Amino acid sequence: MEENRDVKNEELDKEEITGEEVVKDNETQEQESNEAVETNEVSEEASENIEAAEEDQEDLIKNQEEENKKLREELDATKDRLLRLTAEYDNYRKRTVKEKEGIYSDAYVDVLKEIVPILDNLERAIAADGSIEDLKKGIEMTIKGCKDSFTKLGVEEIDASGEFDPNLHNAVMHVEDEELGKNVVAEVFQKGYKKDDKIIRHTMVKVAN
């Protein structure tokens, strides 16, 4: 009886061990299955991440290409504007030089138009027969004509009736005279002329005190 009981206990122990092994095998299989699922999920997630990264990279490249295209277009437009400005400036420079030459030419032609009649009068005065008074009268008329021409050209005689001004007068002599004030023009040796603020010739003077 005891032997049979021991045999039965051994068989029960074996069955319990076998059941535990089966449970453990099932748990192991389930764990392996879960790990496989997790691995698949990780693989799928990694694959999605890779695809997303590739798409981002493609978008980045595309955006960079568009930006480069835009920059090239802006650069070409800037080059075109620069070339146009350079051409315009060159034309402006040539036109300005030509205009300056024309202004200078017109200016001295206008001056000569006023001087030539004076020369004509002087030549006629020399060629004419007459007394000293007639010659003097002719010279006076010529001087008047010259002054009238200066007026038309905007040329003025520099005033030398007051105090000496180094900007207008050229002092070539100095004299002490108690009857005159200090630094006063005592005598004019040669008249000076100006046009607007530009001095044509300084007045040559003697300065007192």
Side-chain angles (χ1 to χ4, degrees):
M1 292 291 291
E2 290 179 358
E3 290 179 359
N4 291 334
R5 190 176 297 154
D6 292 335
V7 170
K8 287 182 180 181
N9 289 334
E10 290 177 359
E11 290 177 355
L12 289 173
D13 292 337
K14 289 181 180 179
E15 288 178 358
E16 288 178 358
I17 292 171
T18 302
E20 290 177 355
E21 291 177 351
V22 170
V23 170
K24 288 181 180 179
D25 290 339
N26 291 334
E27 290 178 352
T28 301
Q29 291 177 358
E30 184 178 354
Q31 184 177 359
E32 291 176 351
S33 177
N34 291 334
E35 290 177 353
V37 170
E38 291 177 356
T39 302
N40 291 333
E41 289 178 352
V42 171
S43 299
E44 290 177 359
E45 184 177 356
S47 178
E48 291 176 356
N49 291 335
I50 292 172
E51 291 178 358
E54 290 176 349
E55 291 178 357
D56 291 341
Q57 185 69 21
E58 291 176 357
D59 292 338
L60 181 62
I61 293 172
K62 185 177 180 180
N63 292 335
Q64 188 66 41
E65 289 176 351
E66 292 177 354
E67 184 68 20
N68 290 340
K69 182 180 179 181
K70 183 179 179 181
L71 290 174
R72 283 194 298 270
E73 291 175 352
E74 291 178 355
L75 179 61
D76 292 339
T78 302
K79 286 181 179 178
D80 183 65
R81 285 197 299 271
L82 181 60
L83 290 174
R84 289 178 182 274
L85 286 173
T86 302
E88 290 177 1
Y89 174 74
D90 187 57
N91 292 334
Y92 168 77
R93 183 180 58 79
K94 291 178 181 178
R95 186 170 62 252
T96 302
V97 171
K98 188 175 181 180
E99 288 176 354
K100 286 182 178 180
E101 291 175 353
I103 291 171
Y104 177 75
S105 177
D106 293 341
Y108 73 69
V109 167
D110 291 339
V111 172
L112 291 174
K113 283 181 180 179
E114 297 296 330
I115 293 177
V116 168
I118 299 171
L119 178 62
D120 293 339
N121 290 334
L122 291 173
E123 289 176 344
R124 281 194 291 267
I126 292 175
D129 295 328
S131 64
I132 296 297
E133 290 298 324
D134 292 334
L135 182 59
K136 183 178 179 181
K137 185 177 180 180
I139 292 174
E140 288 175 348
M141 292 178 63
T142 302
I143 291 173
K144 183 180 182 301
C146 182
K147 289 182 176 180
D148 290 341
S149 296
F150 280 4
T151 300
K152 290 180 182 179
L153 295 171
V155 176
E156 302 176 68
E157 182 179 327
I158 295 175
D159 182 21
S161 60
E163 189 174 332
F164 172 75
D165 185 348
N167 296 316
L168 303 174
H169 309 138
N170 179 22
V172 296
M173 189 177 294
H174 180 267
V175 63
E176 295 292 338
D177 192 337
E178 295 180 355
E179 296 180 359
L180 298 175
K182 184 178 181 180
N183 201 37
V184 173
V185 174
E187 185 179 352
V188 175
F189 295 121
Q190 188 179 67
K191 292 180 179 180
Y193 297 92
K194 66 177 182 176
K195 177 176 173 57
D196 299 326
D197 294 330
K198 186 175 180 63
I199 302 298
I200 298 173
R201 185 178 71 185
H202 290 79
T203 304
M204 190 182 298
V205 298
K206 178 197 294 184
V207 182
N209 307 319

